[in-house]
Amino acid sequence: MTQYAFYFDSTRCTGCRTCEMACKDYKDSSEGIHFRKVYDYEGGTCEVDDEGICTTSAFVYHVSLGCQHCDDPACVQVCPTGAMHKDAETGIVSVDAGKCVGCGYCHMACPYNVPTVDRTLGHSVKCDGCAERVAEGKEPICVGACPLRALEFGPVDEMAALGERADIAPLPSASYTSPNLYIKATPDARPADSAEGIVANPVEVM
């Protein structure tokens, strides 16, 4: 098996959402459903001393997140019908719509909030790494759309050579599911599960 993975360069990302919108357009996903989401993570303070001098510890950075096609995907573990499955050749995690009953267990189990039950369709939906494009030797639509070239996709050994396994806030610890997402972290990045900042756009990403 050639496990595929995403790489994300957070030093390049400006939070423009082009990846998110390109994915939504290509997949023609239902209203309110996004297979890729961009998290804005920020924190810190600004303080003014007695002499009127301002110092700041403020920070902000963005994290573009699709499915991590984990080595140990929680969504696959809890699926009662086998609809959520990991491809034996590519390691890409996908939904078999014909088997899915829309129970939502995958959504509840995923620490990255990736699978979503599309009530219009009656089954779960999620990022599948544009598997049909990958099979044709193309890159996922989000990768090609990024104007800053902050995203890449390919064999896991190649992506791992570019960054570290995803372990920055606001993401959970990589130890939970061993995600196949590798990140070049911005200097402002906080460790996974950090309480130093907040997700500034919770309505958008939840």
Side-chain angles (χ1 to χ4, degrees), residues 47-65:
E47 299 178 359
V48 180
D49 65 18
D50 294 338
E51 297 180 354
I53 297 173
C54 180
T55 58
T56 180
S57 60
F59 66 89
V60 61
Y61 60 91
H62 314 283
V63 180
S64 177
L65 205 65

Side-chain angles (χ1 to χ4, degrees), residues 82-163:
M84 195 69 70
H85 62 284
K86 190 172 174 69
D87 186 80
E89 296 298 321
T90 64
I92 291 175
V93 177
S94 302
V95 184
D96 184 336
K99 293 182 178 179
C100 181
V101 295
C103 66
Y105 288 174
C106 55
H107 171 75
M108 292 184 283
C110 176
Y112 298 96
N113 193 34
V114 168
T116 304
V117 179
D118 186 329
R119 296 303 177 188
T120 302
L121 299 176
H123 60 77
S124 288
V125 294
K126 61 178 289 297
C127 160
D128 64 356
C130 289
E132 71 288 348
R133 288 176 58 86
V134 173
E136 295 173 357
K138 301 176 182 177
E139 59 193 6
I141 204 73
C142 59
V143 174
C146 179
L148 278 300
R149 298 295 180 258
L151 288 169
E152 292 191 34
F153 186 79
V156 66
D157 55 342
E158 295 179 15
M159 301 300 102
L162 300 175

Side-chain angles (χ1 to χ4, degrees), residues 12-19 142-151:
R12 287 175 173 263
C13 182
T14 62
C16 72
R17 272 65 171 177
T18 302
C19 57
C142 59
V143 174
C146 179
L148 278 300
R149 298 295 180 258
L151 288 169

